[in-house]
Amino acid sequence: MSDQHDDFDGLDDFAGPRDGLPEGALADDDPDDGLLEEELRQAAAILDPVPAGLRQVAVDAFALHDLDARVAELTFDSLVDAIPVRGEADPPRMLTFRSDGVTVDVEVTADGLIGQVLPPGPARIEVLSGPRAHARLTADDMGRFTGDAPPAGPFALRLRTGGEVVVTEWLRA
């Protein structure tokens, strides 16, 4: 038994201080932490820069951080909730979003978007689609709007009706 104990006698030479940090580790209050962090940031910026498209997506996502915006929840999606129609090869996708008295009905077709904001009234609508430029649409006095290009990939709608901002959930086109 003493032979086994003798094998571990040298471990104390490798153990660090008793506060749990290994020998040579930086403590939180070490002034070199800030310098090391800055050097690591600079190295990462040079060796592994953030792609421009990803940076734009991050900026766009931050732009959605609007404390006054209300999120409109998806309440109907024809891909999930509708009964398939026989003979219809490529039926349009019907979506309904609701948020505290505002309803947005959207039809997504191969030709673009057709929709209506309820209660009826003018609105500015942005079709958010990641790193691509946002399509800007305008709803008329009846709340109707159209867009020439269908969204590709994930998309959401941001509506500005008067002083109110409503953002829909993100969906895949």
Side-chain angles (χ1 to χ4, degrees):
M1 186 120 174
S2 63
D3 290 338
Q4 288 178 349
H5 181 48
D6 290 341
D7 290 342
F8 294 105
D9 282 344
L11 284 182
D12 287 337
D13 297 337
F14 295 103
R18 298 294 176 215
D19 63 1
L21 292 174
E23 197 67 46
L26 298 175
D28 287 340
D29 58 350
D30 193 328
D32 291 335
D33 280 353
L35 181 62
L36 176 62
E37 183 177 339
E38 182 57 32
E39 287 177 6
L40 289 172
R41 277 187 211 281
Q42 290 175 1
I46 293 168
L47 300 174
D48 190 20
V50 176
L54 182 58
R55 184 182 308 271
Q56 186 60 45
V57 168
V59 168
D60 291 343
F62 182 75
L64 286 177
H65 185 264
D66 188 350
L67 295 179
D68 295 336
R70 294 183 301 166
V71 176
E73 294 183 38
L74 181 66
T75 58
F76 178 82
D77 184 346
S78 62
L79 289 180
V80 177
D81 303 319
I83 298 172
V85 177
R86 187 184 331 194
E88 187 71 35
D90 190 20
R93 184 175 183 186
M94 307 297 290
L95 304 167
T96 300
F97 300 93
R98 288 202 172 95
S99 173
D100 297 333
V102 174
T103 301
V104 183
D105 289 318
V106 182
E107 181 177 320
V108 181
T109 70
D111 298 324
L113 297 175
I114 301 170
Q116 184 172 18
V117 179
L118 298 169
R124 292 181 323 234
I125 301 160
E126 294 173 82
V127 181
L128 309 174
S129 56
R132 293 175 291 281
H134 303 321
R136 300 189 190 291
L137 311 174
T138 303
D140 63 14
D141 291 339
M142 297 297 294
R144 299 172 298 194
F145 62 92
T146 60
D148 293 339
F155 75 98
L157 302 175
R158 181 187 300 143
L159 295 89
R160 297 181 193 278
T161 59
E164 193 168 36
V165 178
V166 176
V167 179
T168 67
E169 293 182 36
W170 282 83
L171 294 174
R172 183 163 291 280

